Amino acid sequence: MGRIILTGDRPTGKLHLGHYVGSLRNRVLLQNEGNYERMFVFIADVQALTDNADNPEKVRQNIIEVALDYLSCGLDPEKVTIFIQSQIPELHEMTQFFSNLVTVQRLQRNPTVKSEMAMRGYNGESEDNNQRGLPVGFFTYPISQAADICAFKSTTVPVGEDQEPMIEQCREIVRSFNGTYKCDVLVEPEILLPGNIVCRRLPGTDGKAKMSKSLGNCIYLSDTPKDMEQKVKGMFTDPGHLRVEDPGKVEGNCVFTYLDAFCEADDFAKFWPDYACIEELKDHYRRGGLGDMKCKKFLIQVLNDRLDPIRARRHAYEQDIPEVYNILRKGSEAAREVAAKTLHEMKEAMQINYFDDAALIAEQAAKYCHEQ
Ligand code: TRP
């Protein structure tokens, strides 16, 4: 059996460059290599609601944003099944069965759950001192995420590094299910991280560890060229590099981190032939005599070169929004068929498929039917 690739995003905002280098770019490459049996990409609206129960409108608005981001990056609905999580009710049945195989203690140890709880003040230590209760649905979302993965028998999950504990927990659930019900219905997935280490966690434009909407340090795929340019011009560099002549540091300098993530071999020939490669540019910056603004202008050119085709596709899809919903509807129908088949197999393994189980019915009949 070939690889089955699956990944998704929460529709809580527009997708940004961190999503792009961390996962989106890779998905399009995987799609175009064609080296898989099937590929699924989905919008995790149910997961988004686990900490947005009071704001379904936010989720509703962002479904189309994320769908446009997917399509504009080059995901092709002819090759990839694009769907919406909430449209696959089988996922919730699976989640329920899985939740009996997972302990509260195991969830509490999940590092991603821990840090996300802290970020949201669900651990009683929020910055604004508001003690927020921990929603059960949020706490257990790794179980529902395992259902997302298992329903499609995914072998390969391309995601960012922060999702590693989720995939590990999913693998445990698969082993537990197959072991408990003595079957091989479910498949252990593998995480697929970006090959380029800098792409695993792109810093924000302020140099903070992660690009994130709540930190306000994002460049969005849908930003206008002007907005993107402003953001790059204001980007965090080396605070010790005051005058052009000063030696500069490239480590922790966002401009160079972004160049490492985005630059391709022929960008220098195309946009800055003074240098042959990124190493030459870095050497000059380290020696001194190279100003930040020149490097930022180069980065702007590189980013525009990557983003222009994305912007053009986005513009085209924006002209036909009903068609975008249509793509999502068709994808959801196709995905549901696959999930229903897996759920059926799971119920068979658990032997809770009572009405299909002629042996069970005969056995019970024999037990109760006494000769007079
Ligand atoms: N948790 C993922 C995120 O926050 C989104 C997600 C939900 C996902 N279900 C998934 C990713 C299944 C991969 C596979 O980005």
Side-chain angles (χ1 to χ4, degrees), residues 6-10 42 44 47 141 145 148-149 157 159 163:
L6 171 132
T7 188
D9 300 275
R10 294 182 196 179
F42 76 102
Q47 191 172 109
Y141 92 73
Q145 183 154 341
D148 302 336
I149 295 169
V157 186
V159 279
Q163 295 295 304

Side-chain angles (χ1 to χ4, degrees), residues 148-163:
D148 302 336
I149 295 169
C150 291
F152 305 94
K153 303 198 180 184
S154 320
T155 59
T156 312
V157 186
V159 279
E161 193 176 48
D162 61 316
Q163 295 295 304

Side-chain angles (χ1 to χ4, degrees), residues 312-327:
R313 273 190 297 262
R314 186 178 241 276
H315 181 76
Y317 277 110
E318 280 173 355
Q319 308 318 301
D320 196 358
I321 293 295
E323 175 54 18
V324 176
Y325 280 104
N326 205 22
I327 289 170

Side-chain angles (χ1 to χ4, degrees), residues 94 96-101 173-186 345-352:
M94 289 182 192
Q96 179 65 32
F97 297 135
F98 288 168
S99 67
N100 303 326
L101 302 171
I173 291 173
V174 168
R175 288 196 290 269
S176 176
F177 187 91
N178 288 348
T180 305
Y181 304 112
K182 307 206 173 26
C183 65
D184 55 2
V185 169
L186 301 184
E345 290 170 15
M346 282 170 60
K347 287 182 174 174
E348 241 168 31
M350 296 167 76
Q351 297 196 292
I352 58 169

